[in-house]
């Protein structure tokens, strides 16, 4: 009953009730419910100027459009319009200013800016082809200074340091970089000391704000929030995974994409427009604004619901990653590789309520395509190393020198250098270390070709680093299952209503006997003459990173932070 007006639906319901037929009433109720829950598939394309003021709608001039909205990365889109569209000249203006495009469908709003516009003549027709990037891309142009509150000419700390729950870390990173630019901090010193003789740039932020909004208190308040406003999480109630990072002149986008790979934290950059609900009680927005927000989608909860949970989760995750005698600290979650819980400590995984059931052959389903790949184990015996310990090489070299000197004294020879045998038999002893996974050897049997793997390392074995290398190698070489599922938005679950990009979802398959849980990696939409749909992708089909690797990075970054804060000399290498 899609497309039927509210009055017609009400009349149908009254007619069904008046009939007194239970079957008619039930059928009508079901149809009305489905019509109510069905997702709107209409797409609306609004073209805007550099201040996000509407210029026009593409409407019937649209030929084709498609786009993607990946997790923690820049959304992209392509739009093709007719060559005689009244908006062509506006699109051509992207070489001098920003040309914005807002795509709205199914209650979702995607804000893009025009990266390039191609005006093409082919087969007797002119067309305009737009390459768009989402406003999340602004994070790829916010550079993190070591000391954001100081002039560029004076950066005493070698790196910016961040250590806290991950959502707070990411929000602080973006807020500091945005505040530095939007408040014009040290703008006079930065430009004057850099010998920029365009005096307008010395007060550029304030001058542009006054030109745009005039002289008032509201102008300076608006200046601090334009273009980016960060919706903050209470740092003492932030239960997201614990993280540490040192950053030197990298962009916010680079750091976010890298640091979130191993965690279930999702970031968003939404376009706020006048009339929308305020992002939070402190925002007070009144003009178009890019709102940055973070969400912990891992669905692992701690006992205190405070930042202390972040530390407890880290301990449980580390114990599970180490395995062996530490394995009691963390129990691996079924169907969710590399993630751990410990109910005894109050760290529990809350399974996602959204579950896709893979159809059997010939059955109808909301799933358009599904690929489940099982990978065989890749070796049950692993060797690491390649270099002998330095102390052993030094001892052998010293022994050779002593023997040569002793022989020359005894035999009366001279002129033979004492370091003649330096390096002889170096890297011959204790240069390699081996570990065997006994259970895996029994599981794969004697005929499995994947027996032994060698992992070259720059350092000598027989130390803590080697132990970590073995644990990572054993995880990376174990058998695993990866899935990629694409389903149509609204058939069973609707984005931003039932599920969210970056959120968890489970796939049940093989007559409901097997299950895999993964993150919703992205949203894809496409419009042509014959189709108009929004697709959702669960999983990416790749192997998960060894869980211990993120803890190695955490420990390394923690020591780096100590070096930065103590102004320790930096290595020239």
């Amino acid at each position: 009953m899609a497309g039927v007006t509210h009055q017609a639906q009400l009349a149908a319901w009254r007619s069904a009730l008046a009939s007194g037929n239970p079957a008619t009433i039930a059928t009508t109720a079901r149809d009305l419910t489905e019509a109510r829950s069905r997702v709107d598939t209409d797409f609306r394309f609004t073209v805007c100027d550099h201040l996000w003021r509407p210029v026009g709608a593409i409407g019937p001039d649209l030929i084709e459009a498609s786009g993607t909205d990946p997790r923690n990365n820049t959304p992209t889109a392509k739009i093709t319009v007719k060559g005689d569209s009244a908006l062509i000249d506006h699109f051509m203006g992207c070489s001098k200013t920003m040309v914005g495009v807002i795509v709205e469908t199914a209650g979702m709003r995607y804000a893009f800016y025009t990266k390039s516009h191609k005006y093409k003549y082919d087969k007797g027709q002119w067309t305009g082809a737009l390459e768009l990037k989402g406003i999340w891309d602004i994070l790829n142009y916010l550079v993190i200074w070591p000391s954001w509150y100081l002039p560029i000419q004076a950066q005493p700390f070698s790196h910016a340091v961040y250590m806290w729950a991950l959502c707070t870390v990411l929000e602080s990173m973006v807020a500091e970089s945005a505040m530095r630019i939007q408040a014009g901090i040290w703008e006079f010193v930065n430009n004057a000391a850099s010998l920029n003789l365009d005096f307008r740039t010395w007060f550029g932020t304030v001058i542009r704000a006054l030109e745009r909004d005039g002289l008032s208190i509201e102008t300076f308040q608006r200046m601090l929030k334009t273009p980016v406003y960060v919706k903050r999480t209470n740092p003492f109630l932030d239960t997201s995974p614990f993280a540490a990072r040192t950053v030197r002149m990298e962009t916010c986008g680079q750091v976010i994409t890298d640091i979130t790979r191993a965690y279930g934290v999702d970031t968003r950059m939404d376009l706020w427009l006048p009339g929308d609900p305020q992002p939070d009680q402190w925002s007070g927005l009144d003009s178009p604004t890019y709102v940055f927000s973070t969400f912990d989608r891992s669905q692992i909860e701690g006992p205190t619901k405070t930042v202390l949970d972040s530390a407890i989760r880290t301990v449980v995750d580390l114990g599970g990653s180490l395995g062996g005698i530490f394995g009691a600290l963390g129990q691996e979650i079924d169907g969710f590789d590399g993630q751990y819980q410990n109910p005894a400590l109050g760290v529990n995984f809350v399974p996602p309520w959204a579950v896709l059931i893979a159809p059997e052959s010939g059955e109808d389903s909301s799933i358009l395509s599904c690929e489940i790949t099982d990978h065989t184990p890749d070796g049950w015996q692993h060797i690491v190393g390649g270099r002998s310990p330095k102390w052993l090489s030094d001892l052998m070299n010293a022994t050779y020198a002593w023997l040569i000197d002793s022989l020359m004294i005894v035999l009366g020879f001279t002129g033979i250098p004492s370091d003649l045998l330096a390096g002889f038999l170096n890297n011959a002893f204790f240069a390699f270390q081996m570990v065997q996974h006994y259970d895996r050897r029994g599981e794969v049997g004697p005929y499995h070709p994947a027996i032994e793997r060698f992992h070259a390392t720059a350092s000598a074995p027989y130390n803590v680093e080697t132990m970590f290398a073995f644990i990572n190698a054993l995880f990376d070489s174990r058998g695993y299952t990866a899935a990629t599922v694409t389903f149509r938005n609204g058939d069973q679950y609707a984005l931003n209503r039932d599920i969210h990009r970056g959120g968890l979802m489970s796939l049940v398959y093989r007559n409901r006997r097997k299950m895999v849980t993964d993150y919703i990696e992205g949203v894809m939409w496409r419009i042509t003459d014959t189709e108009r749909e929004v697709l959702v992708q669960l999983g990416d089909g790749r192997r998960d990173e060894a869980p211990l690797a993120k803890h190695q990075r955490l420990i390394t970054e923690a020591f780096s932070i100590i070096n930065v804060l103590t102004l320790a000399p930096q290595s020239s290498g």
Side-chain angles (χ1 to χ4, degrees), residues 39-45 103-108 527 532-534:
V39 172
D40 178 19
T41 57
D42 288 336
F43 281 78
R44 293 165 292 279
F45 296 85
V103 181
E104 295 175 285
T105 182
M108 296 176 288
I527 302 175
R532 184 179 298 261
E533 58 188 8
V534 177

Side-chain angles (χ1 to χ4, degrees), residues 1-3 31 33-41 490-491 494 497:
M1 303 184 70
D31 291 343
T33 301
E34 291 178 352
R36 179 68 176 173
S37 62
R38 189 171 291 125
V39 172
D40 178 19
T41 57
D491 279 5
R497 187 189 71 190

